Amino acid sequence: MPQLTQTDQNNDSDIGFLNVSATVGKHSINRQGDVFLVQVLLRETLPYVYGLEATDIPYPTGTYGGYTEYLILKYQELSSPARRVKVWKDGFINRAVGSHVPGKSRVWTITYMNEDVYYAYRSRGYEGDYISWLTETYPALDYYLPSYK
């Protein structure tokens, strides 16, 4: 199941970020809730931050397949040039543990996905808690995040 990961344990106002519980990608665990979360983040990020047509990104199903694989790789390809710390184009969304991948000078893809979806949320004129907005927009996400709210 997707999880809400606290980014700053010493800050009560930090709502944290959405994190997968296990890897999403080719030949990976691909838990339905984790895949659904990744699909939601891709659907909200790729059109509003990277200019892909929203109609080209299907509604999240929680089922991993070739098109989800393609969209993950596309996100990693488009996201990396805009970053000081690069995203590894490997087709995997791993659970973020800490701010950077251990021993590497790169950031977890899921971390940047949260940052980008927040940007997409704010660029539409919304304020406040983007996670509540996502669970309202995608009610199944609320099912996968029972501990949030």
Side-chain angles (χ1 to χ4, degrees):
M1 265 196 195
Q3 300 168 347
L4 194 61
T5 300
Q6 203 74 15
T7 53
D8 184 353
Q9 300 295 331
N10 299 318
N11 183 351
D12 291 337
S13 65
D14 177 19
I15 62 167
F17 68 97
L18 297 167
N19 202 354
V20 292
S21 61
T23 301
V24 173
K26 192 172 187 176
H27 305 299
S28 296
I29 295 171
N30 295 320
R31 292 181 180 143
Q32 186 174 13
D34 291 333
V35 173
F36 189 84
L37 170 63
V38 167
Q39 290 171 336
V40 164
L41 295 176
L42 290 167
R43 184 174 164 88
E44 292 302 323
T45 297
L46 288 170
Y48 294 98
V49 180
Y50 298 104
L52 267 67
E53 290 293 325
T55 55
D56 291 342
I57 303 170
Y59 193 85
T61 62
T63 302
Y64 183 84
Y67 203 66
T68 301
E69 178 183 4
Y70 164 77
L71 290 174
I72 290 170
L73 286 165
K74 185 55 119 176
Y75 174 82
Q76 291 172 331
E77 173 189 324
L78 294 172
S79 176
S80 198
R83 309 287 184 184
R84 184 178 58 81
V85 178
K86 301 301 180 199
V87 172
W88 195 262
K89 187 180 173 188
D90 59 4
F92 296 101
I93 307 297
N94 296 300
R95 176 172 168 66
V97 180
S99 60
H100 288 76
V101 179
K104 309 281 185 195
S105 60
R106 60 186 173 104
V107 173
W108 301 104
T109 302
I110 192 77
T111 305
Y112 278 151
M113 291 176 87
N114 274 265
E115 184 179 294
D116 285 344
V117 82
Y118 179 73
Y119 174 78
Y121 166 75
R122 293 301 302 262
S123 69
R124 294 178 183 168
Y126 296 117
E127 292 184 14
D129 180 359
Y130 76 99
I131 298 173
S132 291
W133 167 73
L134 283 176
T135 58
E136 290 168 14
T137 306
Y138 301 94
L141 186 58
D142 199 35
Y143 169 77
Y144 294 119
L145 288 169
S147 61
Y148 181 68
K149 293 246 193 237

